[in-house]
Structures are given as structure tokens and as C-alpha cells.
Amino acid sequence: MSIQVAVNGYGTIGKRVADAVSLQPDMELIGVAKTRPNHEAELAVENGYPLYAAVEDRVHLFEAAGIDLAGTVEEMVSAAAVVVDACPSGIGAENRSLYEAHDTPALYQGGEDADLVDASFNARGNFEAATGADHVRVVSCNTTGLSRLLAPLQETYGVEKARITLVRRGGDPAQSGRGPINDILPNPIGLPSHHGPDVNTIFPDLDIDTLGLKVPATLMHTHSVNVTLESTPDAEAVRQLLDEQTRTFLVPEGSGIDGAGALKEFAMDRDRPRADIWENCIWAESVSMEGPDLYLFQAIHQESDVVPENVDAIRAVLGTADAEESIERTNETMGVGF
Amino acid sequence: MSIQVAVNGYGTIGKRVADAVSLQPDMELIGVAKTRPNHEAELAVENGYPLYAAVEDRVHLFEAAGIDLAGTVEEMVSAAAVVVDACPSGIGAENRSLYEAHDTPALYQGGEDADLVDASFNARGNFEAATGADHVRVVSCNTTGLSRLLAPLQETYGVEKARITLVRRGGDPAQSGRGPINDILPNPIGLPSHHGPDVNTIFPDLDIDTLGLKVPATLMHTHSVNVTLESTPDAEAVRQLLDEQTRTFLVPEGSGIDGAGALKEFAMDRDRPRADIWENCIWAESVSMEGPDLYLFQAIHQESDVVPENVDAIRAVLGTADAEESIERTNETMGVGF
């Protein structure tokens, strides 16, 4: 029998998770919930996804917009084996009592506090930590990207210390009201940024310091990575190790891919839905060793790299597959890997 | 008797250096040279600076534009005790034979190769290295900013290793044809960036790795700095040390200065010429220690931080003042220090 999955919130992450869940042979998408009858609500109907009103007293707005509802979010949650909460940061916390009332295990996104949940989750980093948990947080796009990178380095070479500067996009392409414009903002100015402590929710013992900046770009985040290893492999060995991972894309030298714009073009040319890039994009040429110090650049697509992680987290929570099985199934059905 | 100074090239750096030289009681600006009769050539005339044609066969263009010339660049170089070459990168190298022919010591800018010159120069870092040299390179804006930061750290605490990510502006405000737009480009993709080796022209034994990126901003560069120290001062001690330097500005916590835009506003409000910021702008709140690891953010004004360094390099080359005297005189006359 398929896992009955509900998605609460049908915005940037929710609509992508709903599509990915629909592709899984072991899952059934029983519905999505939305607060407002906007173009994304219409999309859910076009896709044939049962649409639920996330707020009961807004049902009349959907009726006024001519959008058919399947019911309210309570009915959806009650019918689901797992609910993926893809609401804006902070709303997930408000929804927790709803999921508890229906005894439905819930996945939250990385914008929620770590202490809202029983476990934070990254498929490559700590898959088993979610098994049997009622409340699980799929860590943010940046933490996901860092966890995927650090897991194989830690296992293979040992990590003495990681120091990462995150050059973050100011907003997503459709968030046209956000900034900065023509500036480079240390953000936060005080250190460390939240990313280091967030990585520690996946790898509690890892020594990591992170600094964040925001710049006038919308396409992807870029990480300037230093990891002091406990051994001194050559750069080519590290490149191979990272290439062997299933959610990394080693950007080939000489490909002409010089940044996020070219990466998105590459993804569109290969018919990726919404030009999504689920993989860490690591520039092969940048992978360098100076003594025990590894350096590299990676770009992270903030809108989509957590999507396969949400799919895996569903299986992890219910214990229906182990990490290797789940990651392989998710990758194959979604088409992860260039 | 005053030092007779000529400035060859009257663009971004040259016009600023000419103004700064004019302010020095021990110097006389005998002229500036320019290749084309544009708005900056008119500015030189408006300022009362004798204007020379940098290329002899373009004299007629100045005549056609109604701009009076004092002569050709050869005459200017011949009359000067020192020439400051502020021509675009690579042109300085072409000009070297001209300066040699007239036996005139020359200062070049950081865009020239280090092997063009006898010594690379930073006033705080290695003032004495320029004394008696015929060809001296004032290092680039970024290398100047790093040298000013690393000199006191090295002297006071010892530097085990420095790791710097330079988030660079794409172009100056008037360079509207440059990019990137809406992207974050690792630049160069291969490591290290040239900045680390360039810092080693000032501090040959310093262990430093640098990574560079370019972003859609024009106002200032921003450095994400990690320095592993040989001792473990507390952050407040480091803050004080950096505050005691004369070409640093510790951006006060709570000032509302969150980036380069606010810094430029701050400079304009204080009547800085061209809104120039000659100082390293170090966010006090960002100065942090994690064990022996120092972290901080600093912003560097690419158009102006080398200007006081050029003034000091003139005295260094001729041996007319020591580092302390020269830096103090330059700072006082220009108004360096907020």
C-alpha cells in the first residue's frame, strides 16, 4: 500500500515536493493545502491535485475565485500518513498542534527552529535519525548543501575544522521586493551565521564556523569552502570522492559554466522542471588542496535542493526504506544527477 | 625644496593622487598627463594642473577640443623628481622605458606585474622596501586592505595562516559596461586567486590562501576574513588593536551601517572628496575569536584606498621621511581617519 502524503503549503517548496511525491511508486499525494486562491492554487487544480483550504475562514475566497476545494486542511491532515509542512518560516511551528491533534507525523522545512522537532534531517548525513520521529525538520537549502559535502569528507578523511563563507542570493527570482541592490551586505554582521550551528543539528561534533553575506543576485547561493582535513589527499582524489556522491554535480573544467546563470541555462537545456538543480554544483577546477586545507566553490539552488530530501524524509520517518534504497529511488524517479 | 611630482594617467587613481599630492607641503604637482581630451582632461585644466599629452600624435585632439596643453609627457617626466604612473593595467609596463630614459624614479599601480618593479609597496607593511628603488609598485586596493590588516596581526599575535574570501565588486560605478548582472561568479574558478601571492610581495613569509568572487555591485569590495593566530587574544583586544591603526575604520555596532551603500553615505555626509573612503572599514561586531581563529568582515573602497599609499611611496622612494612621519603627514593633510 502506498504512503498517503499530504503537503501543507503550496509555494516554492510545496509545489516542488508535491510533484516529486507524485512521481514516487510507493507514495500517493492525497492533497495540497493553500491559504490563498492565487496562480499556484490554480496550478494545483490543473495538476489534478486535491486542493484544501489551509485556513477555514478563507474558503469563500476560493469559491469567489471559482476554484474547487476538496475540503479543509484538517480533513487532509487527518487522512494522511505523513504531512509535509511547506509553509513559510514560523507558520510550521503554528501548525504543529494541528498535526499532533490528528496524530500525523510531520516534516517541517529548514526555516523552523531546530527545537520545534525531534530530529533534523539530511538524507546523506543522518537518515536514520528521523526513523520513528513524529516531528522532523528537513534542514535548509544551505545546510543541505553543506551536509552533503561534509558527510563524505568526514567519513573519508576526517574533518578537523570547516570554515565556510556563504555568499547568499538576496531573494528568489519572483521575490522582486527584496534586496540588496548594488551592495554586498555582511549578514549577519555578528558571527557566526546560523548555518554553522544548523549543520551541527546533523553532525553534532563537527567543528564548523560560518559567515554569511547577501548580494544582488537571485539564482543560487554560492559557498566559498575551506575544510581543514585530518589527512592530506590530493585534489584529484577529493574530486573523485565528490563526483561519486549521487547529489553532487562536478562542474567540468572547460564547460564554460562560470556561475549560476550558466548552471540554470544548463538545467533548462536538459528539460529540468522549473530549471531546478537538485545537486550541489561543485566547480571541479576549484577543488584544491594546500597542505591539509581543502578549498572549493559550490553553488546551491535555494528553491529545489531540499526537494529530494523531503521525499527521503517521508520514508525515513515511516521506516519504509533505508538511506541507500530511498536515495536511489528518489534520484531515479526524479532524474537527479546530470 | 618640494618634491616635484608628475602623474601620468588622470583617471580613477591618477586624479585622486594628483589632488592628494597637491595637498602635501613637501610636494609640488608639476603636471598630469592624459591620453584623451575627455571630461577628466577638462577637470585637470579647471583644477589648474598643467596638462600634458600622454601620446604625442594625439596633441591635435586636445587642440580640437580647445584644451590647452603644457607639453608632452616626455617633457613632464624629464622635469619630475618622481612620476606616479596611474595608467590602466599593462600600460605602466609599456611606460617603463620612458621613465628609464629620463632617469626618473616611477611608481606603478597594482595592476602591473610584481616582476616589473624592484619592490612592491604598502606603507604600513614594508615602507622601507621602496627606499632608493627606481621602480616601485603600490599594490592593488585589495592587497592594500589585506596588508593593513595583516601587519598589526602578524606583529602582535603572529599569523599561522590567513584564509580570505574576497567578494569583489563587478566594476566601478562609472564602468556601466561591466558585469556580472544577477549572478555570483567564482573568479577565478581555479585557486588561489592572485591576491594571496600578491600579499606575499609585501609579506614574503606569510601563509595565506585567497578565493575571489565577483558580484553585481559597484561600490566597494568586501572581504570575509579568517586568520588563524599564533596566540589567542580575546575579540575585544583585537578590536582595540585594529582601532589603533591609522588607516582602519572600526564600524561601530549600532551605527546602522550595514554595507557599502551606508558607508558611502557616511563618507558623503562628512564631505569626503568623491565620497572616498581611504580606510579599511572593519565591522566591529564581526570581529570574533573561535579558539585561535579570528574572523571579521571588512569593506575596501577600490577607487581610493591606495591614494594615501601612493603619497607615502613618493617619500619612501626618495628617502625624505620614514614610515611613521610620512603616514602621519599624509593622513593629516588628506584628512584620513573618521
Side-chain angles (χ1 to χ4, degrees):
Chain A
M1 185 188 147
S2 297
I3 305 168
Q4 303 211 295
V5 180
V7 177
N8 189 11
Y10 192 72
T12 302
I13 300 298
K15 63 190 179 186
R16 288 172 163 88
V17 170
D19 291 350
V21 165
S22 300
L23 295 170
Q24 305 306 313
D26 55 340
M27 298 182 192
E28 182 193 351
L29 179 71
I30 65 158
V32 302
K34 186 100 187 95
T35 50
R36 289 175 306 148
N38 69 357
H39 68 97
E40 285 167 329
E42 288 169 5
L43 175 70
V45 175
E46 288 170 32
N47 284 342
Y49 301 158
L51 179 66
Y52 292 81
V55 183
E56 191 157 2
D57 63 7
R58 292 206 192 150
V59 167
H60 69 282
L61 294 177
F62 287 85
E63 286 167 354
I67 296 177
D68 283 341
L69 289 175
T72 65
V73 67
E74 285 80 3
E75 297 171 79
M76 182 182 84
V77 170
S78 156
V82 183
V83 59
V84 179
D85 185 295
C87 295
S89 299
I91 308 297
E94 294 177 14
N95 290 337
R96 184 181 148 129
S97 57
L98 167 68
Y99 309 140
E100 283 178 322
H102 294 277
D103 214 13
T104 308
L107 308 182
Y108 305 85
Q109 303 306 310
E112 302 303 327
D113 285 344
D115 58 12
L116 176 72
V117 296
D118 308 316
S120 292
F121 177 85
N122 171 259
R124 179 67 180 79
N126 69 344
F127 190 94
E128 291 74 17
T131 306
D134 287 328
H135 303 278
V136 169
R137 187 179 70 115
V138 177
V139 291
S140 73
C141 53
N142 280 316
T143 306
T144 294
L146 291 174
S147 297
R148 287 178 185 164
L149 177 68
L150 291 165
L153 294 175
Q154 171 75 301
E155 291 161 12
T156 310
Y157 307 118
V159 168
E160 188 181 311
K161 188 174 185 88
R163 303 171 184 85
I164 322 277
T165 295
L166 299 100
V167 185
R168 293 153 57 214
R169 64 82 178 102
D172 295 342
Q175 293 177 312
S176 47
R178 292 175 63 154
I181 50 172
N182 195 26
D183 214 332
I184 303 167
L185 304 183
N187 184 272
I189 295 174
L191 302 178
S193 73
H194 74 273
H195 306 93
D198 207 34
V199 167
N200 287 138
T201 67
I202 304 297
F203 307 106
D205 300 326
L206 194 87
D207 189 358
I208 179 169
D209 296 328
T210 55
L211 302 91
L213 302 109
K214 283 202 302 187
V215 301
T218 64
L219 302 177
M220 300 177 80
H221 300 295
T222 303
H223 298 171
S224 173
V225 173
N226 164 241
V227 184
T228 307
L229 300 173
E230 286 172 350
S231 49
T232 54
D234 63 23
E236 188 51 34
V238 177
R239 239 172 253 134
Q240 275 183 25
L241 173 70
L242 297 177
D243 203 19
E244 285 160 10
Q245 308 302 308
T246 67
R247 290 180 185 166
T248 58
F249 169 45
L250 269 278
V251 181
E253 194 173 343
S255 62
I257 298 178
D258 65 347
L263 281 167
K264 295 286 283 180
E265 192 81 5
F266 184 88
M268 285 188 285
D269 286 345
R270 278 147 191 84
D271 288 331
R272 281 287 175 94
R274 297 183 178 89
D276 282 350
I277 303 179
W278 302 298
E279 303 86 353
N280 289 27
C281 299
I282 301 167
W283 274 274
E285 189 184 350
S286 74
V287 176
S288 310
M289 292 294 305
E290 296 282 340
D293 276 300
L294 167 67
Y295 294 95
L296 61 84
F297 289 117
Q298 68 174 1
I300 299 296
H301 186 216
Q302 73 277 1
E303 298 167 292
S304 75
D305 80 328
V306 301
V307 175
E309 308 295 327
N310 273 274
V311 173
D312 291 328
I314 293 167
R315 295 193 190 99
V317 164
L318 298 182
T320 62
D322 66 18
E324 198 182 343
E325 281 176 301
S326 178
I327 290 172
E328 192 180 328
R329 199 179 306 165
T330 304
N331 289 353
E332 198 181 310
T333 51
M334 290 182 66
V336 173
F338 283 118
Chain B
M1 184 188 147
S2 297
I3 305 168
Q4 303 210 295
V5 180
V7 177
N8 188 12
Y10 193 72
T12 302
I13 300 298
K15 63 190 180 187
R16 289 172 163 88
V17 170
D19 290 351
V21 165
S22 301
L23 295 171
Q24 305 307 312
D26 55 341
M27 299 183 192
E28 181 193 350
L29 179 71
I30 66 159
V32 302
K34 186 102 187 92
T35 50
R36 290 175 305 148
N38 68 356
H39 68 96
E40 286 167 329
E42 288 169 6
L43 175 70
V45 175
E46 288 169 32
N47 283 343
Y49 301 158
L51 179 65
Y52 293 82
V55 183
E56 191 157 3
D57 63 7
R58 293 208 191 148
V59 167
H60 69 281
L61 294 177
F62 287 86
E63 286 167 354
I67 297 177
D68 285 339
L69 289 175
T72 64
V73 67
E74 285 81 3
E75 298 171 81
M76 182 183 84
V77 170
S78 158
V82 184
V83 59
V84 179
D85 185 296
C87 295
S89 298
I91 308 296
E94 295 176 14
N95 290 338
R96 184 181 149 130
S97 57
L98 167 68
Y99 309 140
E100 282 179 321
H102 294 279
D103 216 14
T104 308
L107 308 181
Y108 305 85
Q109 303 306 309
E112 303 302 326
D113 285 344
D115 58 12
L116 176 72
V117 296
D118 308 317
S120 292
F121 177 86
N122 171 259
R124 179 67 179 80
N126 69 343
F127 190 93
E128 291 75 16
T131 306
D134 287 328
H135 302 278
V136 169
R137 187 179 69 115
V138 177
V139 292
S140 72
C141 53
N142 279 316
T143 306
T144 294
L146 291 174
S147 298
R148 286 178 184 163
L149 177 69
L150 290 165
L153 294 175
Q154 171 75 301
E155 291 161 12
T156 310
Y157 306 119
V159 169
E160 187 181 311
K161 189 174 185 89
R163 303 171 185 86
I164 321 278
T165 294
L166 298 100
V167 185
R168 294 153 57 214
R169 62 83 177 101
D172 295 342
Q175 294 177 311
S176 47
R178 291 176 62 155
I181 49 172
N182 195 26
D183 213 331
I184 304 167
L185 304 183
N187 185 271
I189 295 174
L191 302 178
S193 73
H194 74 273
H195 307 92
D198 207 35
V199 168
N200 287 138
T201 68
I202 305 296
F203 308 106
D205 300 326
L206 194 87
D207 189 358
I208 179 170
D209 296 327
T210 55
L211 303 91
L213 301 109
K214 284 203 302 188
V215 302
T218 65
L219 302 177
M220 299 178 81
H221 300 295
T222 303
H223 298 172
S224 174
V225 173
N226 163 242
V227 184
T228 308
L229 300 173
E230 286 171 351
S231 49
T232 54
D234 64 24
E236 188 50 34
V238 177
R239 239 172 254 135
Q240 275 183 24
L241 173 70
L242 296 176
D243 202 20
E244 286 160 9
Q245 308 302 307
T246 66
R247 290 181 183 164
T248 57
F249 169 45
L250 269 277
V251 181
E253 193 172 345
S255 62
I257 297 178
D258 64 348
L263 281 166
K264 295 285 284 180
E265 192 82 4
F266 184 88
M268 287 187 285
D269 285 345
R270 277 146 191 86
D271 288 332
R272 282 286 175 96
R274 298 183 177 89
D276 282 349
I277 304 178
W278 302 298
E279 303 85 353
N280 289 27
C281 299
I282 301 167
W283 274 274
E285 189 185 350
S286 74
V287 176
S288 308
M289 293 295 305
E290 295 284 340
D293 276 299
L294 166 66
Y295 294 94
L296 61 83
F297 290 116
Q298 68 174 1
I300 299 295
H301 186 216
Q302 72 277 1
E303 297 166 293
S304 75
D305 80 329
V306 299
V307 175
E309 308 296 327
N310 273 273
V311 173
D312 291 328
I314 293 168
R315 296 193 190 98
V317 163
L318 298 182
T320 63
D322 65 19
E324 199 182 344
E325 281 176 302
S326 179
I327 290 173
E328 192 179 329
R329 199 178 308 164
T330 304
N331 289 351
E332 198 180 311
T333 51
M334 289 182 65
V336 174
F338 284 117

